[in-house]
């Protein structure tokens, strides 16, 4: 064995240029993998931490919809107009959660969309509204920082938006919006459009911005329930006349176009104004109506277990609800980082294939150059496995040495980039940086996997050249010298 | 020579005959003018029943006031009870919503569907087939007891809801019986049947029963019945935000 190693190293030193070409390729691969993975891991962890700490909690419970996946942002259906289901048996689910030792805190939520205007204003802007019970919600998301004013007071109406959203509101409503302003919210729900005017009571900011921060506004849950039509006594049916029923049921067009009927309308010089209808009683919010429960666990790692237990509980009790992790809650907002990851992985696969081809080519040339040497070795009694091992040792030696070089350079590059304190200038970079500044951290697992991957690439690349080397007939090989 | 004379005679009579055929443009204009009461205001009660698969049919009853000369209308919701008193006021391109519970107004645009039904706001404003569309082909047909003309209309502008409309019009009166609305990709989006029950007001026939079928979402359809039609001057105060808030 030591003989083999000696021969292998001698060969590597004798063919310096080829060793260097292969080595640089492998080192580059390790650098790309380590730096790229550091960014990807940091971004994924950043998005996860941001969402768990600010919006989703560790576990998310929602109703079920046949029209698409339910996330904290509604039902992801084509067209996007599906109603988010109300959570059935809310109290029973909360009681179940309270009985689970892993659960630390829970909070209910209703999500809706509204158009925001200033009172009597003409301009409007879009608002994604999180209807919350302020006490529970603040306890659960204690990291959300109140930058100005206060959070919604329990039992009172109020709107809280992010500082980012305030900029957008001011721009789109064409007026400087400030705390204390009354914001008119128009919602479209089961009871037609509902308009409520509520005061802007506070501004929040987040440690790290995310795609969602621009949109989310917090509102007391009862205001949102009314805007959404989640009110009591809401489901009465207005009777349909027999004639209307017949018209709806008719399928044969020719039957509908029988004889002509003419009724005389009234042609009056003056039409009287409508009789005033009775004064409306304000709708009463259905205080039992929640769409989601957000859960914080004592240990975040227990999320898969808790999700599984809850889903078993829902199935056993016949409750049309589902539990998921933060990713299920974040829905469309968590997907962009996955897309970036997929693009990165595909790029790595392509780079790996190209690297294998280049290395294979270089090794084949190396083998052809060494035809005489290999032939002589074979003639002196070296068996095929000996030659095979020799090449394998050469390849692994290159992979280890240059892999370590690449690793060192990778760490250096990450350290250098972190030291530069680069600021994310656009939304995409913010996702990639998982915050406002670039700060990548290397995951030890990804270093190990990068080295293994590079080793694999090298081993795969050496298989064909070895096959070429083994085909060399000792006699003919010696003749070429 | 004689042959040439006959040929000329035939050609001349053919063109004369063609000239004597129906004037589709003015037919379309007549359809447009069907709901046009000129300088007179119009008010009516529209009852819309909407049916969706797996849901109970829902009824919406609205009172509508129209002043076409000034491009204004007011819609007040009478039914369902939970929406009673909600209203819209449209002046030119502006629409204000009014919520009687909170007494608040909200300013908005005009392209939304009315109460999730197949009816669009544009259905309540003056039809302008003759201005917004040009006739691309015509054919004769029969629908139930009525002899009809079938007109294919292509949109002149992008502002209309549908790029292609096939309109079936009665031969004896310029009244539409059926409207098929197509998308840009020639997909049938909506069929509207104007049943031959009419309210006669100010010398015009207004179809009083209209069935609208959503061809995109199978099983979704609406039936619109029009009653309490009145034509005549309405007070100016009817077309104000104050009127909406008073009507509660």
């Amino acid at each position: 064995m030591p003989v083999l190693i000696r021969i292998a190293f001698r060969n590597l030193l004798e063919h310096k240029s080829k060793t260097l070409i292969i080595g640089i390729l492998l080192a580059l691969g390790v650098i790309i993998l380590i730096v790229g993975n550091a960014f990807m891991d940091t971004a994924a962890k950043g998005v996860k931490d941001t969402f768990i700490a600010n919006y989703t909690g560790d576990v998310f419970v929602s109703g079920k919809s046949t029209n698409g996946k339910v996330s904290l942002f509604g039902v992801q259906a084509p067209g996007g107009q599906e109603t988010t289901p109300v959570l059935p048996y809310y109290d029973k689910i909360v009681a179940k959660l309270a009985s689970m030792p892993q659960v630390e805190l829970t909070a209910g939520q209703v999500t809706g969309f509204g158009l925001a205007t200033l009172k009597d204003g003409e301009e409007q802007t879009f608002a994604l509204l999180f209807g919350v019970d302020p006490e529970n919600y603040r306890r659960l998301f204690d990291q959300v920082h109140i930058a100005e004013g206060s959070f919604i007071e329990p039992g009172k109406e109020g709107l809280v938006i992010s500082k980012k959203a305030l900029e957008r509101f001011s721009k789109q409503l064409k007026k400087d919006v400030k705390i204390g302003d009354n914001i008119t919210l128009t919602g479209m729900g089961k009871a037609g459009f509902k308009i409520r005017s509520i005061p802007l009571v506070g501004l929040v900011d987040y440690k790290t911005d995310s795609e969602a921060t621009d949109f989310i506004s917090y509102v007391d849950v009862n205001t949102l329930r009314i805007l959404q039509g989640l009110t009591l006594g809401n489901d009465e049916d207005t009777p349909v006349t027999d004639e209307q029923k017949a018209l709806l049921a008719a399928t044969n067009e020719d039957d509908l176009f029988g004889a002509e009927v003419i009724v005389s309308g009234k042609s009056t010089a003056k039409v009287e104004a409508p009789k005033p209808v009775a004064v409306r009683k304000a709708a009463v919010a259905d205080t039992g109506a929640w769409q989601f429960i957000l859960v914080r666990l004592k240990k975040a790692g227990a999320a898969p277990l808790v999700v599984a237990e809850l889903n078993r509980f829902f199935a056993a009790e016949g409750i049309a609800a589902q539990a998921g992790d933060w990713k299920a809650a974040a829905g469309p907002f968590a997907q962009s980082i996955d897309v970036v990851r997929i693009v990165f992985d595909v790029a790595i696969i392509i780079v790996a294939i190209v690297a294998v081809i280049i290395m294979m080519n270089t090794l084949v040339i190396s083998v052809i150059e060494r035809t005489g040497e290999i032939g002589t070795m074979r003639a002196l009694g070296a068996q095929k496995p000996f030659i095979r091992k020799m090449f394998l040792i050469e390849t692994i030696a290159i992979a280890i040495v240059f892999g370590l070089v690449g690793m060192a350079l990778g760490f250096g590059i990450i350290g250098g980039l972190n030291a530069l304190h680069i600021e994310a200038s656009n939304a995409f970079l913010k996702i990639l940086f998982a915050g406002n500044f670039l700060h990548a951290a290397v995951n030890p697992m990804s270093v190990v996997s990068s080295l293994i991957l590079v080793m694999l690439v090298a081993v795969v690349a050496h298989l064909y050249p070895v096959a070429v080397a083994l085909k060399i007939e000792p006699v003919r090989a010696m003749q070429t010298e | 020579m004689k042959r040439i004379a006959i040929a000329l005679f035939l050609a001349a009579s053919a063109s004369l005959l063609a000239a004597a055929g129906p004037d589709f443009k003015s037919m379309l204009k007549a359809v447009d003018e069907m709901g046009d009461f000129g300088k007179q205001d119009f008010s009516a009660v529209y009852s819309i029943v909407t049916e969706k698969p797996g849901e109970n049919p829902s009824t919406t009853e609205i009172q509508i006031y129209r002043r076409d000369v000034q491009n204004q209308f007011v819609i007040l919701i009478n039914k369902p009870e939970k929406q009673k008193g909600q209203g819209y006021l449209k002046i030119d391109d502006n629409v204000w919503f009014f919520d009687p519970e909170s007494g608040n107004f909200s300013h908005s645009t005009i392209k939304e569907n009315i109460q999730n039904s197949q009816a669009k706001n544009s259905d309540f404003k003056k039809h302008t087939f003759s201005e917004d569309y040009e006739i691309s082909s015509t054919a004769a047909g029969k629908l139930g007891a009525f002899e009809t003309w079938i007109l294919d209309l292509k949109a002149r502008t992008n502002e209309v809801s549908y790029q292609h409309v096939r309109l079936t019009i009665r031969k004896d009166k310029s009244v539409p019986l059926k409207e098929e609305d197509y998308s840009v990709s020639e997909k049938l989006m909506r069929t509207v049947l104007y049943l031959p029950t009419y309210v006669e007001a100010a010398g015009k026939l207004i179809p009083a029963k209209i069935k609208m079928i959503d061809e995109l979402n199978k099983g979704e359809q609406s039936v619109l019945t029009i009653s309490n039609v009145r034509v005549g001057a309405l007070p100016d105060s009817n077309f104000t935000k104050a009127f909406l808030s008073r009507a509660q």
Side-chain angles (χ1 to χ4, degrees), chain A residues 153-193:
Chain A
E153 277 187 53
K156 287 195 175 168
E157 289 180 340
L159 178 74
V160 170
I161 61 177
S162 69
K163 284 175 101 175
K164 279 259 171 194
L166 182 79
E167 285 170 28
R168 188 168 57 86
F169 271 45
S170 295
K171 199 174 149 197
Q172 292 182 349
L173 301 180
K174 295 183 180 160
K175 199 189 157 200
D176 277 337
V177 180
K178 53 190 184 310
I179 289 180
D181 281 351
N182 267 326
I183 308 281
T184 301
L185 296 170
T186 306
M188 252 307 192
K190 285 199 290 182
F193 56 86

Side-chain angles (χ1 to χ4, degrees), chain B residues 1-21:
Chain B
M1 192 65 192
K2 206 175 179 182
R3 273 188 192 164
I4 294 169
I6 292 170
L8 277 174
F9 173 75
L10 282 176
S13 41
S15 64
L16 269 173
L17 271 175

